[in-house]
Amino acid sequence: MTKSEQLFEQAQQVMPGGVNSPVRACKAVGTYPRFIQKGQGGHIFDVDGQEYVDLVCSWGPLILGHCRREVLEAIREAMENGLSFGAPTQAEVEMAGLICQMVPGMEMVRMVNSGTEAVMSALRLARGAVGRHKIIKFEGCYHGHSDSMLVKAGSGALTGGTPDSKGVPPEMAAGTLTAQYNNLESVEALFEANPGQVAAVIVEPVAANMGVVLPEAGFLPGLRALCDRYGALLIFDEVITGFRLAAGGAQAYWGVSADLVTYGKIIGGGMPVGAYGGRRDLMELVAPAGPVYQAGTLSGNPVAMAAGLAQLRILEQNPQIYTHLAEMGAYLAKELRNLAEKAGVPVQVNQVGSLLSVFFTETPVNSFAAAKRSDLDRFARYYRAMLSQGIYVAPAQFEAMFLCDEHTKEDLDQVLQGAEYVMSQVCKEAGSSL
Ligand code: HOZ
């Protein structure tokens, strides 16, 4: 028995499912989670001494890789001065200022502690600002685990088979209307069926919790136009795309402006953090400036701010990082397609910048319905075999792969070499023992 298996056994005695977040239990891929001891650059090491090329990167925030010197130094310096005050600090002001400088249309920011909290707060603000109660979200998009967002949710909720969670009051779910991603008619139909009732549309500008699904041309501008026409706010959930697709996030990348934007781990450089922000007239409705209440002792925590600021400053000053990430993403996607084709395994590789997904399906994946057609058994075999080749990908079909600036050509070639073996030996044949 490996040390990871032993730890997982112990964990299951004292933690629900043995984990603190469902997907990482690896249930969907028929194995046990590898317990991670440390990371360095683009690699991680488990407690059994196995090294992996890390294509999860803590689910996105490690754009600069593990243990980036400047980030660690900033954390060390901050913690020498104390871990938490529950009072304003200079770092928060600098962080908010930098986000406003980097992100188009961002005029004010409120720091919180996670993406879930950011979304929950932004939705409350939208309802308060517009004076309506309903929200439109998209099937298979994931916006954290607040009650109103666990309706046809993606990520672990989808993988675990509970996209509509137990415990969500029906009245909370009733205020959430679900449309189809990349389908503007479905959004318009909801506006028409709920006249004067929709406060906001919330969307992952690149859907990344049903696997990576790109917005088709016209989808994001179409949402902007519909929100304007029906008097609703447009909220971009940039928990995954923010500062990763571009320094200005998806708004800058796709040239579409949102009214409010939510962030999570992506702005913490690896520390627990989140934020929401946008137009000044909206943000000035948040307490204590305005009547929409939201609070938190650890919000703007000085150590988290130090880590986030260090990472964002590097990103702001080094635009070539985005070129590097995009080149690596495109190379990996192209080569993965080639070798799957050579092996005769039907896959769709969706990629934008440093975000990728390999879907085991014959048909292009541009919607939630198409993503769901993927062969999950084949994905599970692929996952286990990739692990055996020293490659750590997300343990579910409905998640993204993430690259970091520290990944090298050698890392990508190791991934491709492993994938070649996996596609030709494991994915091709049904019933492989791996
Ligand atoms: N739900 C997140 C992935 N989309 C985080 C999963 C985790 O940290 O286990």
Side-chain angles (χ1 to χ4, degrees):
M1 206 187 230
T2 64
K3 197 159 176 211
S4 279
E5 282 170 293
Q6 287 170 30
L7 282 171
F8 191 43
E9 268 196 15
Q10 282 175 33
Q12 287 173 89
Q13 305 307 312
V14 287
M15 296 155 68
V19 288
N20 281 315
S21 191
V23 180
R24 63 179 81 157
C26 292
K27 244 175 144 174
V29 285
T31 185
Y32 59 92
R34 273 46 177 184
F35 281 64
I36 305 305
Q37 191 161 47
K38 63 176 185 179
Q40 189 59 52
H43 291 227
I44 49 172
F45 303 78
D46 72 16
V47 289
D48 292 292
Q50 290 297 319
E51 180 173 354
Y52 305 91
V53 178
D54 182 13
L55 298 180
V56 175
C57 292
S58 189
W59 304 92
L62 303 179
I63 304 173
L64 302 175
H66 294 272
C67 297
R68 174 79 176 218
R69 185 181 48 80
E70 293 92 328
V71 176
L72 294 190
E73 275 170 7
I75 291 174
R76 274 191 207 109
E77 201 183 310
M79 77 188 193
E80 292 297 332
N81 289 325
L83 298 181
S84 175
F85 309 113
T89 64
Q90 184 172 333
E92 296 168 278
V93 191
E94 290 175 13
M95 182 72 154
L98 185 56
I99 293 174
C100 290
Q101 197 181 306
M102 290 174 79
V103 178
M106 185 67 71
E107 294 176 325
M108 291 187 117
V109 185
R110 168 60 61 85
M111 302 304 304
V112 291
N113 295 292
S114 70
T116 293
E117 200 184 337
V119 167
M120 193 178 79
S121 311
L123 294 178
R124 182 181 302 141
L125 171 56
R127 291 184 179 110
V130 181
R132 304 174 185 170
H133 292 158
K134 292 188 179 170
I135 303 290
I136 296 178
K137 78 176 279 289
F138 294 89
E139 284 180 10
C141 279
Y142 182 72
H143 304 286
H145 59 88
S146 65
D147 281 340
S148 70
M149 289 292 101
L150 282 180
V151 178
K152 301 207 169 123
S155 188
L158 172 61
T159 302
T162 48
D164 303 294
S165 172
K166 282 254 186 255
V168 172
E171 57 278 17
M172 292 297 292
T176 306
L177 312 170
T178 49
Q180 280 94 52
Y181 190 79
N182 273 335
N183 182 338
L184 288 173
E185 288 79 46
S186 70
V187 182
E188 189 166 9
L190 290 175
F191 272 122
E192 285 294 325
N194 296 272
Q197 296 173 62
V198 177
V201 173
I202 184 164
V203 67
E204 292 180 78
V206 173
N209 284 288
M210 48 172 120
V212 172
V213 179
L214 275 65
E216 289 179 338
F219 179 61
L220 297 176
L223 287 183
R224 176 71 271 169
L226 283 173
C227 285
D228 291 345
R229 179 153 19 118
Y230 289 94
L233 300 180
L234 179 59
I235 306 174
F236 274 7
D237 181 341
E238 296 227 42
V239 163
I240 290 196
T241 50
F243 305 98
R244 174 167 277 282
L245 272 193
Q251 290 190 97
Y253 192 88
W254 302 107
V256 175
S257 48
D259 300 297
L260 292 171
V261 181
T262 58
Y263 302 104
K265 51 208 165 212
I266 198 80
I267 53 169
M271 298 292 284
V273 66
Y276 63 104
R279 278 171 32 201
R280 181 177 304 277
D281 62 315
L282 295 172
M283 292 304 292
E284 280 186 336
L285 296 174
V286 177
V292 177
Y293 197 73
Q294 183 269 311
T297 297
L298 288 174
S299 299
N301 173 268
V303 183
M305 291 305 95
L309 262 175
Q311 171 155 287
L312 291 187
R313 281 183 180 137
I314 292 172
L315 293 173
E316 195 215 5
Q317 287 157 18
N318 295 279
Q320 75 280 5
I321 289 175
Y322 292 102
T323 318
H324 179 223
L325 290 171
E327 281 171 2
M328 286 194 298
Y331 171 71
L332 198 53
K334 181 169 127 261
E335 295 302 320
L336 283 169
R337 283 184 202 112
N338 285 344
L339 62 89
E341 193 182 326
K342 237 195 273 166
V345 178
V347 302
Q348 306 296 322
V349 184
N350 285 3
Q351 174 258 335
V352 57
S354 54
L355 292 169
L356 296 89
S357 277
V358 177
F359 291 97
F360 288 90
T361 172
E362 277 168 24
T363 48
V365 179
N366 57 359
S367 68
F368 179 52
K372 281 207 306 184
R373 282 197 283 272
S374 303
D375 182 339
L376 301 186
D377 176 59
R378 196 168 257 177
F379 179 87
R381 281 187 279 132
Y382 156 84
Y383 176 81
R384 297 193 298 267
M386 288 294 268
L387 262 192
S388 77
Q389 300 301 300
I391 302 149
Y392 191 81
V393 299
Q397 174 69 89
F398 304 118
E399 298 288 351
M401 277 198 281
F402 299 89
L403 295 170
C404 72
D405 192 46
E406 290 283 302
H407 283 128
T408 60
K409 174 83 169 43
E410 289 70 45
D411 291 333
L412 301 191
D413 288 339
Q414 184 187 334
V415 171
L416 292 168
Q417 223 173 42
E420 185 167 24
Y421 160 77
V422 170
M423 295 281 183
S424 59
Q425 304 296 316
V426 183
C427 294
K428 209 170 154 173
E429 303 300 331
S432 157
S433 60
L434 265 165

